[in-house]
Amino acid sequence: MPGRGYVERAVEYADPNALRMALYQATRDAEIAAITPERVFGPVTDTVVFSADDIALIRAKAVEYLLTEPDEAALPIPSRDEIVELLEMAEARTLGPDDLIMRHHIPAFADMPFQAQWAAEKVVPEGYHVAIVGAGFAGIAMGVQLAQLGIPFTVYERRAEVGGVWSINTYPDVRVDTLSSTYEYAFEKKYPWTEYFARQSEVRGYLEHVARKYGVHEHIRFCSDVQGARFDEKTQRWTLTVCSDDAVTDLEANVVIAASGVFATPRDLPVTGVSGFTGQIVHTAQWRDDVEYAGKNVAIIGNGSTGVQLLSKVAEKAASVAVYQRTPQWISPRANYGVPIADELQWLMQQMPFYWNWNKYVAGLSTIDLRNVLMPDEEWIAKGGKVSERNDMLRESLVGYISSQVDGRQDLIDRLVPDYPPMTRRPVVDNNWYASLTRNNVELVTTPIDRMTDTAIVTADGEARNADLVIAAVGFQTEKYIWPTQYYGIGGVTLEEVWTARGAQAHLGMTVPGFPNMFMLYGPNSQPVASGAGLPTWFEIWTSYIAQCIVGMLENGRSSMVIRQDTFDDYNDQLHEEAKKLVYLMPSSAIQKNYYVNEFGRLQTNAPWSGEKFYELCARPDESHFEFTDGR
C-alpha cells in the first residue's frame, strides 16, 4: 500500500465527479450524498460544477477510504434502480424513462454488458460457419460475441496484423481524438492506457490484447483479402473468394459479416498533374517509416483530423511547410490532449472501487446530449441568431480560441473561421495546428490548387511553391462502405448497384434487402450523433444485434434471414425525415463539402436520433422485420 502522500496525489488527478460517484457507491456516505453540484449551461451541453469546498471534501474522504485498502470484489453490483439513482446523482438532474433506455449500461458494471445469449441449449449444426471480413474494432467485437456463444467463425484480414485503421494509419502523432476511457470495449475493464488520448501503437496493442484474451486471434486468417462474396439461393450460403499468398480460394460460410468499415479506401489526390510530380507523394493512410520530412520542403494538402494531427510534428523538422486548406474547419481544444496519465492515477483506477466505471460515464457526459447543439432553433434564428443559443455560443467560443492560438493575427483569423455552423462537419481536435501556422517555416495557403508540375504545386493565382514531399491528408472514399469487397446478393446484384439511385442505405446500418445472412458493421447512418458511449461500445451493441439474429436462426432451424423491403423503406424514410431536423442539412451548412452528406443531399454517415432512441432500435432484432427461409 503506498503512503498517504501518494494517495493524496492520486485523488488530485482524479475527476471529482467520477471520484464522488465511486466513493458514494462504495460507502453510501451521507455527506457525499448531500453535495449538490450546479448544472451550468454550456456551448455543447450542461456541465456539472462543484465548489472548491465540495471537491476538497470528496478528495479527503476518498483518501481515508483508499487507505483502508478496499476490495471491489467484495462489494455488490448495483441493481438497475440503484444505477438510475446514481446516474441522476452524477448528472445532477432527474432523468425520465426516455433518458434511461441506454444510459444505465454505459458504466458497464456487468462483465459483458452487451453479450448475446442462447435462449436455451446451444444448437450449432455441424459445418456451420460465420465469416467476418476485417480485424479492426468491429471485426474483433464480432469475434468476441461469437467466441462467447461457441459459434464457429473465421476473421479474414487482408493485412498481417489486427487493427484496421489503427494498423493502416501510422503518420506522425496519430492518436484517438476521443478520451481513451471512452474509446474501449465495455467488457474489457481497467485497461491501463498510458495517455488520456491513446496513440496509434497503443490502440493497436489494445486490439491485439483483446483478440488474444477473448479467443479471437486464433480464428483470424491474416494476409487474406476477401475480393468477393456471392450468395447462393439454392444452398442459402455465401461463397467467399479469398486471395492469400498469391492463391485464390473459394470458401463457404452460412453468414457473412462485413466489418471493413468506412475508412478503408484512401481518396485519390484530386489534382491535375499528380503523375508528373518527381518528388514524393504519400497519403496519410499509406505512411511508411522511411518517409523523410526533416529538412524538406513539405506540402500538406488537407486540414481534417489527419492533417491537423501531423502538422506540428512535421513543422518541427521540415525546412518549410505549405498547408493547403481546402475548407476551413472548426478545430477545438481538448483538455489533456497529448498528456500521459500519471502513475498515481493509474493506481487509483485499479484500486478505487467503481472509479473506472464512473470515469467512463463522466467522460461521456459531454456527448450524451450533443444532439441539442445540432438542432436549429427557429425562434432563436428569427431573433437574429444563426442556429441556436448553444451552437452560436460554441461558435463564439471557437472563434475566440482561434484568435488566441494565432496571436490575434487577423490575416489568419479571416481565413480560418468557417462560414458554416460548428458540428456540421466531423469535429477536429487541435494538436497545435493553429499555433503551428504562426511558425516562420509554415505558410497557410487558401487559394485553390490548380495543378502540379514536376517540382511544385501551382495555385489558381499562378503562384508555384516548390515541394519535395507532398502529404495527402485528403481522407477516404467514405461513400464506399465495406469496400473493396464486392458483395453479390439475390440475382447476382451488387450492393453498389442497389445503392446507385439514392446512395448507401441500410436498415440500422446493418442489413439490406436482397442480401440474406449478410450484415454490416459501421454501415450507412450508423454513427450516433449523441449517446455518451464511445464507438467501440456501439460495436458491441451492433454485434450483439447480429449475434442475436444468428442465434435466432439456429434455435429456430432457419437457414437464412433477410430484411423486408417495406421495413427497410420505412426505416430510411423516417431516418431522412429526422435528419432534416439537424444542422447538417441547413442551407448554411455547406453540404456540398461535407462527407456526412452524400451527393443526393441525404445524411450518409450519422444516425440522427438520440443515443437512447438509436439504442432502443438496435438492442434486439424484431422478427417481423425479416423474411426467413426454413432450414429444416
Side-chain angles (χ1 to χ4, degrees), residues 298-303 311 321-325 433 437 442-446:
V298 180
I300 299 176
I301 301 177
N303 60 317
L311 171 61
V321 183
V323 178
Y324 292 85
Q325 174 184 275
W433 188 81
L437 297 178
V442 176
E443 178 188 9
L444 176 66
V445 183
T446 56

Side-chain angles (χ1 to χ4, degrees), residues 13-207:
Y13 284 115
D15 179 274
N17 199 6
L19 187 63
R20 166 192 177 232
M21 295 309 306
L23 182 63
Y24 177 70
Q25 183 178 337
T27 66
R28 295 290 167 165
D29 187 315
E31 278 192 279
I32 296 298
I35 292 173
T36 54
E38 182 183 2
R39 283 186 66 87
V40 177
F41 185 88
V44 176
T45 186
D46 293 350
T47 55
V48 178
V49 179
F50 295 85
S51 70
D53 288 344
D54 287 341
I55 292 174
L57 177 63
I58 293 166
R59 288 172 175 167
K61 284 182 170 286
V63 168
E64 297 306 322
Y65 179 65
L66 282 163
L67 289 172
T68 69
E69 301 186 42
D71 178 12
E72 182 174 325
L75 298 172
I77 298 299
S79 66
R80 187 184 187 282
D81 288 344
E82 289 171 327
I83 293 173
V84 170
E85 172 203 348
L86 294 166
L87 295 179
E88 293 186 329
M89 185 174 170
E91 296 195 35
R93 61 176 170 178
T94 301
L95 300 172
D98 290 345
D99 299 319
L100 294 166
I101 302 168
M102 177 185 182
R103 258 182 180 82
H104 62 287
H105 293 298
I106 297 176
F109 292 110
D111 289 341
M112 306 287 287
F114 304 103
Q115 176 61 45
Q117 303 289 339
W118 293 96
E121 185 179 351
K122 181 177 75 172
V123 181
V124 182
E126 185 177 352
Y128 193 89
H129 208 79
V130 177
I132 303 170
V133 182
F137 261 101
I140 290 172
M142 192 71 245
V144 171
Q145 286 279 352
L146 298 178
Q148 294 290 310
L149 290 165
I151 296 174
F153 68 97
T154 299
V155 183
Y156 297 94
E157 171 53 53
R158 58 181 171 176
R159 295 177 67 80
E161 61 182 13
V162 303
V165 295
W166 297 106
S167 168
I168 295 169
N169 289 280
T170 61
Y171 58 84
D173 232 23
V174 54
R175 65 175 74 235
V176 296
D177 56 10
T178 58
L179 284 162
S180 304
S181 55
T182 64
Y183 202 78
E184 60 183 0
Y185 299 121
F187 58 77
E188 178 59 12
K189 319 292 187 186
K190 300 187 179 182
Y191 188 79
W193 298 107
T194 63
E195 294 191 30
Y196 288 94
F197 294 82
R199 296 175 184 269
Q200 173 268 336
S201 59
E202 188 168 18
V203 179
R204 206 208 67 76
Y206 170 78
L207 289 172

Side-chain angles (χ1 to χ4, degrees), residues 173-247:
D173 232 23
V174 54
R175 65 175 74 235
V176 296
D177 56 10
T178 58
L179 284 162
S180 304
S181 55
T182 64
Y183 202 78
E184 60 183 0
Y185 299 121
F187 58 77
E188 178 59 12
K189 319 292 187 186
K190 300 187 179 182
Y191 188 79
W193 298 107
T194 63
E195 294 191 30
Y196 288 94
F197 294 82
R199 296 175 184 269
Q200 173 268 336
S201 59
E202 188 168 18
V203 179
R204 206 208 67 76
Y206 170 78
L207 289 172
E208 182 86 20
H209 163 78
V210 170
R212 292 185 182 278
K213 179 176 177 178
Y214 291 90
V216 177
H217 199 273
E218 57 262 38
H219 294 269
I220 303 175
R221 284 185 50 172
F222 292 106
C223 301
S224 297
D225 184 13
V226 180
Q227 298 179 332
R230 188 178 295 271
F231 184 72
D232 188 321
E233 296 174 57
K234 292 182 179 179
T235 64
Q236 297 290 294
R237 291 169 65 89
W238 284 87
T239 299
L240 283 67
T241 301
V242 183
C243 181
S244 179
D245 298 326
D246 297 323

Side-chain angles (χ1 to χ4, degrees), residues 375-395:
M375 299 187 69
D377 182 340
E378 296 303 328
E379 291 186 11
W380 179 263
I381 295 170
K383 295 175 183 177
K386 294 182 180 296
V387 178
S388 67
E389 184 177 5
R390 283 194 197 273
N391 197 287
D392 290 2
M393 184 186 294
L394 178 58
R395 176 193 291 269

